[in-house]
Amino acid sequence: MTSPESSPALSKGRSLTRTVSSKTIFSNVMTGLVVTCAILALIPLVALLYYVITKGIVRISPQLFTQLPPPPFPRDHPQFNSGGFGNAVVGTFMTVGIASLISIPFGILASIYLSEFARDTKLANAINFLTNVLSGVPSIVMGVFAYGLIVVKTRSYSAVAAGVAIAVLMLPTIVRTSTEALESVPNNLRQASVGLGASSYQTVLRVILPAAIPAIITGIILAIARAAGETAPVLFTALFNNFWNWDPWRPTATLAVLVYNYAITPFANWQELAWAAALVLVTMVLVANILARWIVRRR
Amino acid sequence: MTTNLQTSTKTNTDVVFRTENVNIYYGDFKAVRDVNIEVPRHAITAFIGPSGCGKSTVLRCFNRLNDLIKSFHLDGKILYHGQDLYASDIDAVEVRRQIGMVFQQPNPFPKTIYDNIAFGPRLLGYKGDMDELVENSLRGAAMWDDVKDKLKALGTDLSGGQQQRLCIARAIAVQPEVLLMDEPCAALDPISTLKIEDLMQELKEKYTLVIVTHNMQQASRASDFTAFFNVQANEKGQRTGYIEEHDRTEVIFQSPKQKATQEYVSGRFG
Ligand SMILES: Nc1ncnc2c1ncn2[C@@H]1O[C@H](COP(=O)(O)OP(=O)(O)OP(=O)(O)O)[C@@H](O)[C@H]1O
Ligand SMILES: [Mg+2]
């Protein structure tokens, strides 16, 4: 223990001017190392963006979103640049929409239960553990699950089946981010609300949820952005469709599967479409991230 | 359920709370023992005493806020106008609507000033003129002139002292019968503290106040009755609080019967 009287003695006689010592050299070297590593970590991201943008940008035009995929054409064919993947854009929104309809209500209700009604109970701990396990399950397993549960039963690939697979994929992210958001609402707001005579559900609806909603929305946006690009769970649940499809119970095209299907063909116009679809997916993820940051920042 | 409480408040007695041999536990830990006090109507009762002696614990029993703590339980009786608050047919939510609470740390909701005040009345399904109620509540907390031009500003953007008065306004908006205040001035500067003390004098015309304070001057200036809490360790080292002395404030501060009270109020304690 240093008593207050002894501390001036310790600092007595120390100079305030900067001296070049082994300590400063070490600290400069470390700073340099950290900066280098940070730049190295950025390289893959920049390279990926550069590659996807340069390859994909050639085909970006409004018709991408309004037309159907063309037949394969050779490079010198007059219609080489025709066609788009409007059906896959619609299909992606459809599957992700179905997935959101399932996973958002379930996820938020589950996290309300976990944070407000069962906090620190054995059951809550068990659910948290299972949620973590679920978030580590490979996404192809979600696909198999939805295949067995819906595709086999209904005898058809469908947007619904893909939606279920993606919903299971999104669920752990939504539960975890929402639970964190709700738990970070300060306890004194709960006490204020209960102290004014609010019942527990009134407290949740009128105080806790409004205070946590920006963080919850952020988590949901990021979950959706990640899910929209997932290929494995939609590959053999939604399958693909070369035509417009508005029926959620029929095979549906998605951007992720379009990239997968077209990139491995030998046809140049299909390959270009695959790059363009990849660019659209990356842009969606980017926009979602910016949106999420903006919501957080606005608080 | 709730009708019991409603009818009983009509038979206004001059004793708002009477406790009978109350012992309060957190799990196995006996936090406070043998609480026997009466809280008179339209008066300010102050709880003073060293840290950890259970002042907040007892205060929070008066509006069943301790129900939020899982390990909490009590035996004995807390009678509110003769009715046992912990009887099985009492609705705790209804209790808290009649017995309001102001906390040590100002805790306005992250909503507008207006919505902060309107929160309680909306819970109760208030059908009258909300603007008027908000204005009256803010006037009641002596802050109408501070905020009348910025009712749409966030309550959390006010200064600490204003936030605390907003919390008082929010509590009186539901027109409770009792206001419990747990160290309402602990986070405030001397000027805001004096404002709140003045406010308490006005509030006692309409409400019954129970306040916890560490500030001896505040207790002696502002309260009519004072309960001095003390704490005693048992053989297992558990520190259990109890009420050493409870009397009119002049008596506690000028001619206390217990030596410990004398030492505490004169600042020569422990
Ligand atoms: N939620 C809780 N769980 C367990 N024990 C608690 C809890 N709250 C308070 N206690 C214990 O009860 C005793 C009384 O605490 P309380 O907060 O009522 O004291 P206090 O007189 O208000 O002190 P202070 O003046 O510091 O606010 C303390 O020993 C404390 O550790
Ligand atoms: Mg306390």
Side-chain angles (χ1 to χ4, degrees):
Chain A
M1 276 301 286
T2 50
S3 65
E5 295 82 49
S6 73
S7 52
L10 258 182
S11 57
K12 201 183 285 171
R14 291 183 70 99
S15 151
L16 288 176
T17 54
R18 201 196 299 263
T19 49
V20 181
S21 67
S22 58
K23 221 193 291 171
T24 32
I25 294 172
F26 176 75
S27 126
N28 285 345
V29 169
M30 283 311 284
T31 312
L33 207 65
V34 170
V35 172
T36 318
C37 288
I39 292 172
L40 282 179
L42 272 179
I43 288 178
L45 177 67
V46 174
L48 181 141
L49 281 180
Y50 174 79
Y51 211 62
V52 173
I53 291 173
T54 48
K55 288 277 203 173
I57 200 94
V58 287
R59 286 298 293 262
I60 293 293
S61 70
Q63 79 178 35
L64 271 189
F65 302 93
T66 56
Q67 294 187 3
L68 286 175
F73 291 121
R75 199 168 277 282
D76 49 7
H77 193 279
Q79 283 183 289
F80 179 79
N81 279 321
S82 70
F85 42 62
N87 59 337
V89 173
V90 170
T92 298
F93 278 103
M94 204 150 93
T95 49
V96 172
I98 293 171
S100 303
L101 282 182
I102 301 170
S103 60
I104 293 174
F106 271 103
I108 292 184
L109 289 177
S111 63
I112 287 175
Y113 177 73
L114 288 177
S115 82
E116 302 302 317
F117 296 99
R119 203 187 287 194
D120 299 327
T121 59
K122 285 211 180 75
L123 181 62
N125 290 340
I127 296 177
N128 275 328
F129 174 74
L130 290 178
T131 313
N132 282 337
V133 171
L134 193 60
S135 70
V137 171
S139 54
I140 189 113
V141 179
M142 319 291 184
V144 178
F145 166 72
Y147 180 84
L149 191 72
I150 297 173
V151 176
V152 172
K153 291 267 156 53
T154 60
R155 292 161 194 273
S156 169
Y157 297 98
S158 64
V160 172
V164 169
I166 296 178
V168 180
L169 191 78
M170 286 167 65
L171 202 57
T173 319
I174 294 181
V175 170
R176 190 146 14 89
T177 51
S178 307
T179 309
E180 272 167 22
L182 292 169
E183 284 182 349
S184 68
V185 173
N187 237 335
N188 63 16
L189 291 186
R190 287 186 185 85
Q191 297 198 339
S193 171
V194 171
L196 285 165
S199 63
S200 42
Y201 92 91
Q202 285 172 322
T203 301
V204 168
L205 281 185
R206 299 187 186 208
V207 177
I208 312 292
L209 261 188
I213 209 76
I216 293 178
I217 292 177
T218 304
I220 289 174
I221 291 177
L222 294 180
I224 290 178
R226 154 129 202 267
E230 278 285 343
T231 321
V234 283
L235 200 53
F236 48 97
T237 46
L239 202 67
F240 196 68
N241 194 328
N242 280 314
F243 305 98
W244 294 104
N245 168 44
W246 304 95
D247 180 353
W249 292 103
R250 297 199 23 83
T252 306
T254 55
L255 286 171
V257 174
L258 181 129
V259 173
Y260 172 77
N261 282 350
Y262 285 12
I264 55 178
T265 62
F267 312 116
N269 68 331
W270 279 12
Q271 287 174 4
E272 282 189 357
L273 280 178
W275 280 112
L279 179 57
V280 170
L281 275 178
V282 170
T283 312
M284 274 163 51
V285 173
L286 218 61
V287 168
N289 273 283
I290 291 168
L291 199 68
R293 282 192 77 103
W294 179 73
I295 292 177
V296 173
R297 187 82 45 88
R298 234 175 33 137
R299 287 291 293 167
Chain B
M1 278 177 54
T2 53
T3 45
N4 285 347
L5 202 58
Q6 227 84 60
T7 46
S8 79
T9 49
K10 300 233 168 59
T11 61
N12 280 327
T13 50
D14 283 337
V15 176
V16 177
F17 292 110
R18 182 203 308 277
T19 69
E20 292 178 359
N21 301 322
V22 172
N23 296 304
I24 307 169
Y25 306 83
Y26 292 110
D28 295 333
F29 169 55
K30 192 184 212 176
V32 191
R33 65 171 167 83
D34 305 322
V35 182
N36 288 296
I37 51 169
E38 286 185 354
V39 173
R41 198 155 171 262
H42 292 304
I44 301 178
T45 301
F47 288 177
I48 61 171
S51 197
C53 60
K55 305 178 295 293
S56 304
T57 299
V58 171
L59 193 74
R60 293 159 57 94
C61 288
F62 285 153
N63 74 342
R64 296 198 49 173
L65 211 61
N66 278 332
D67 292 14
L68 298 186
I69 300 166
K70 279 199 204 80
S71 62
F72 159 85
H73 64 106
L74 65 71
D75 52 37
K77 276 192 181 142
I78 297 183
L79 302 172
Y80 173 60
H81 293 299
Q83 191 170 18
D84 185 359
L85 282 183
Y86 284 82
S88 56
D89 62 343
I90 294 289
D91 182 356
V93 169
E94 204 54 47
V95 170
R96 298 183 197 118
R97 289 175 177 176
Q98 296 187 27
I99 304 171
M101 181 93 167
V102 176
F103 298 83
Q104 174 172 351
Q105 291 297 327
N107 54 0
F109 298 121
K111 302 173 186 278
T112 63
I113 293 173
Y114 188 99
D115 286 341
N116 262 283
I117 309 284
F119 183 87
R122 280 179 186 148
L123 287 179
L124 294 169
Y126 179 72
K127 291 284 177 328
D129 184 348
M130 189 65 86
D131 292 354
E132 195 184 307
L133 182 63
V134 168
E135 178 174 342
N136 288 340
S137 305
L138 285 167
R139 282 192 194 283
M143 72 176 309
W144 172 248
D145 292 324
D146 295 24
V147 298
K148 62 171 182 254
D149 301 320
K150 48 175 184 178
L151 293 178
K152 291 277 166 275
L154 280 182
T156 38
D157 286 346
L158 294 169
S159 77
Q162 289 174 324
Q163 287 189 14
Q164 193 61 300
R165 277 183 287 151
L166 177 65
C167 291
I168 294 175
R170 184 177 66 183
I172 60 182
V174 289
Q175 292 156 357
E177 212 216 317
V178 183
L179 265 185
L180 309 173
M181 300 187 169
D182 194 348
E183 300 183 49
C185 304
L188 304 186
D189 67 287
I191 294 178
S192 310
T193 300
L194 283 178
K195 277 194 187 157
I196 295 209
E197 280 177 24
D198 287 345
L199 181 58
M200 291 194 293
Q201 297 307 321
E202 285 171 35
L203 291 176
K204 86 174 185 195
E205 306 293 318
K206 284 192 189 163
Y207 310 96
T208 301
L209 276 76
V210 185
I211 63 169
V212 172
T213 179
H214 276 291
N215 182 334
M216 289 305 114
Q217 281 115 16
Q218 182 167 64
S220 62
R221 262 193 317 252
S223 74
D224 304 303
F225 295 87
T226 300
F228 170 58
F229 283 63
N230 208 343
V231 66
Q232 208 173 37
N234 70 358
E235 57 283 1
K236 279 181 277 173
Q238 290 185 338
R239 291 162 57 79
T240 300
Y242 61 98
I243 294 181
E244 179 91 47
E245 194 169 353
H246 174 220
D247 212 323
R248 299 197 66 84
T249 298
E250 313 86 80
V251 177
I252 293 287
F253 280 87
Q254 282 153 24
S255 51
K257 297 186 186 62
Q258 304 294 327
K259 193 155 164 282
T261 317
Q262 170 67 40
E263 285 175 352
Y264 187 79
V265 297
S266 60
R268 282 178 281 128
F269 190 80

